[in-house]
């Protein structure tokens, strides 16, 4: 009998299979796969709700009680990461759509499958899960600021505010609001508790479904922009090598305990590609395809890198009793 625990334990294999199936679908049935991109926003919205539904909002003050972790989390994601990303983009051509894609995907910390990989990497995934709303709100506030700082008028010429606000409300505010309302309702009604219990089964299958529709609908575009993608892949790899090292230093500076430190490293190195993808789809047609292709590329690179992380971080970078 399938249990939720067994489903979660086998999710990495499931994701690998889904990506291979999606790639085959996108390459051998491109017309059908291309139509899947219309479902991306809905699928991600349900995925976000499923993640939010697992957060005990009644105990939302808990992450603030661990002020050192929150301080380290904000330092890594909004001080260290922007500096690293800005320096890395100096190695790229000065082409606004390319730079926008890299900034979108690398400046936003992950709030979904990073929880899974943190758990697999023997980190404190519960503390990171509790900090998810903080990361959500801060990245949505700071992303426009960083885009303006790094790109200036170049970003203004590409990004339209309306679609970004629609994506923010559709993917963050609405799923978050529904999760909070159902949690409040579940305190006094059995049906609410049943909905919460059912929702706990959704993250893994909807993560798989999200990967399916994204990879299948977008993989054909990777060939079209292979010259540009070949320039960006080394940047993505460099980011995944540099950030764990910097995060490890910050772990020492904030004197975090080992499992909490591992959670910080995963957060600093794992990006929010699935959530920013609808933002890319909302861009004008003449740049949207390229930006989407570059974001999907980062997703694939990151998933491979995360499989390496779950071995390297607990066994090499931050071993037990090393702090």
């Amino acid at each position: 009998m399938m249990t939720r625990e067994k489903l979660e334990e086998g999710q990495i294999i499931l994701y690998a299979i889904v990506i291979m199936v999606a790639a085959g679908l996108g390459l051998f049935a491109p017309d059908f796969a291309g139509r899947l991109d219309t479902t991306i926003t809905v699928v991600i919205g349900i995925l976000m709700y499923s993640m939010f539904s697992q957060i005990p909002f009644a105990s939302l003050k808990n992450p603030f009680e661990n002020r050192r972790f929150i301080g380290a989390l904000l330092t890594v994601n909004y001080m260290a990461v922007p500096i690293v990303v800005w320096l890395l983009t100096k190695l790229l051509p000065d082409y606004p759509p390319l730079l926008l894609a890299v900034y979108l995907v690398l400046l936003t910390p992950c709030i979904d499958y990073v929880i899974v990989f943190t758990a697999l990497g023997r980190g404190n995934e519960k503390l990171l899960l509790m900090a998810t709303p903080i990361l959500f709100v801060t990245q949505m506030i700071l992303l426009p600021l960083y885009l303006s700082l790094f790109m200036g008028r170049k970003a203004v010429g590409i990004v339209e505010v309306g679609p970004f606000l629609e994506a923010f409300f559709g993917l963050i505010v609405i799923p978050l609001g529904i999760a909070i309302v159902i949690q409040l309702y579940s305190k006094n009604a059995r049906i609410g508790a049943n909905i919460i219990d059912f929702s706990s089964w959704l993250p893994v299958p909807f993560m798989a479904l999200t990967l399916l529709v994204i990879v299948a609908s977008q993989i054909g575009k990777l060939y079209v922009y292979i010259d540009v993608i070949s320039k960006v892949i080394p940047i993505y790899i460099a980011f995944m090598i540099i950030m764990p090292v910097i995060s490890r230093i910050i772990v020492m500076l904030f004197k975090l305990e080992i499992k909490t430190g591992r959670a910080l490293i995963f957060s600093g190195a794992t990006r929010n590609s699935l959530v920013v993808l609808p933002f890319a789809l909302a861009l004008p047609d003449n740049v949207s395809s390229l930006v989407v292709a570059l974001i999907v590329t980062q997703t694939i690179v990151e998933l491979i890198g995360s499989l390496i992380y779950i071995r390297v971080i607990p066994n090499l970078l931050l071993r037990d009793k090393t702090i």
Side-chain angles (χ1 to χ4, degrees):
M1 181 179 179
M2 176 60 69
T3 64
R4 196 174 71 225
E5 289 73 21
K6 289 181 179 179
L7 181 63
E8 292 174 348
E9 288 173 2
Q11 61 188 303
I12 302 304
I13 296 176
L14 173 63
Y15 298 157
I17 294 173
V18 166
I19 289 175
M20 289 188 289
V21 171
L25 187 63
L27 295 175
F28 296 105
D31 292 337
F32 171 76
R35 291 193 290 271
L36 292 177
D37 63 3
T38 59
T39 68
I40 291 175
T41 300
V42 174
V43 171
I44 292 179
I46 297 174
L47 175 65
M48 292 301 98
Y49 158 75
S50 70
M51 295 299 299
F52 280 134
S53 68
Q54 307 311 302
I55 302 174
F57 288 101
S59 304
L60 193 57
K61 64 180 181 179
N62 286 351
F64 292 99
E65 292 177 357
N66 194 327
R67 295 179 181 178
R68 280 190 298 174
F69 175 68
I70 293 301
L73 194 67
L74 297 179
T75 299
V76 164
N77 283 300
Y78 302 123
M79 294 182 66
V81 166
I83 293 172
V84 170
V85 172
W86 181 75
L87 291 174
L88 287 175
T89 55
K90 294 302 177 183
L91 303 175
L92 291 171
D94 186 19
Y95 181 49
L98 182 156
L99 295 176
L100 177 63
V102 174
Y103 286 138
L104 276 176
V105 77
L106 293 186
L107 290 174
T108 49
C110 185
I111 46 76
D112 37 64
Y113 57 68
V114 67
I115 309 297
V116 174
F117 285 113
T118 299
L120 294 173
R122 304 204 303 271
N124 191 338
E125 79 280 6
K126 293 181 180 179
L127 188 58
L128 190 56
L129 180 62
M130 291 294 294
T132 295
I134 299 173
L135 289 177
F136 244 135
V137 174
T138 49
Q139 67 184 261
M140 290 303 153
I141 292 174
L142 293 175
L143 179 59
L145 175 63
Y146 284 126
L147 289 178
S148 177
L149 180 64
F150 293 157
M151 296 189 67
R153 293 182 179 179
K154 295 178 182 178
V156 174
I158 299 175
V159 178
E160 297 178 6
V161 177
F164 270 65
L165 290 178
E166 290 177 8
F168 174 76
F169 280 99
L171 294 174
I172 298 174
V173 177
I174 293 177
L176 179 62
I178 293 173
I180 292 175
V181 169
I182 293 177
Q183 283 195 20
L184 293 174
Y185 183 59
S186 68
K187 291 182 177 181
N188 302 312
R190 180 63 183 172
I191 188 173
N194 290 338
I195 294 174
I196 292 295
D197 182 65
F198 172 76
S199 299
S200 67
W201 286 81
L202 298 181
V204 173
F206 269 90
M207 176 65 72
L209 182 59
T210 300
L211 291 173
L212 176 67
V213 298
I214 288 175
V215 174
S217 64
Q218 306 301 320
I219 195 168
K221 299 175 183 178
L222 301 187
Y223 289 102
V224 177
Y225 300 109
I226 191 64
D227 290 341
V228 179
I229 289 173
S230 64
K231 294 181 175 63
V232 173
I233 288 178
I235 299 301
Y236 291 155
I237 295 174
F239 179 88
M240 295 201 73
I241 294 172
I242 293 170
M243 279 314 305
V245 176
I246 293 177
S247 300
R248 177 66 176 85
I249 295 171
I250 294 175
V251 168
M252 291 189 294
L253 292 176
F254 280 81
K255 298 180 179 179
L256 301 179
E257 62 93 17
I258 293 172
K259 286 192 173 183
T260 302
R262 290 171 184 158
L264 182 75
I265 294 171
F266 274 99
S267 179
T270 311
R271 302 292 88 194
N272 212 359
S273 55
L274 297 181
V275 173
V276 298
L277 189 60
F279 296 170
L281 293 170
L283 293 170
D285 292 339
N286 60 328
V287 297
S288 177
S289 294
L290 172 60
V291 175
V292 168
L294 294 176
I295 290 175
V296 170
T297 300
Q298 193 276 337
T299 301
I300 296 172
V301 171
E302 183 171 88
L303 286 173
I304 296 171
S306 295
L307 293 176
I308 298 173
Y309 279 171
I310 62 177
R311 300 293 183 185
V312 172
I313 290 175
N315 297 318
L316 180 63
L317 191 60
L318 190 53
R319 294 176 293 178
D320 292 333
K321 300 180 180 178
T322 58
I323 297 182

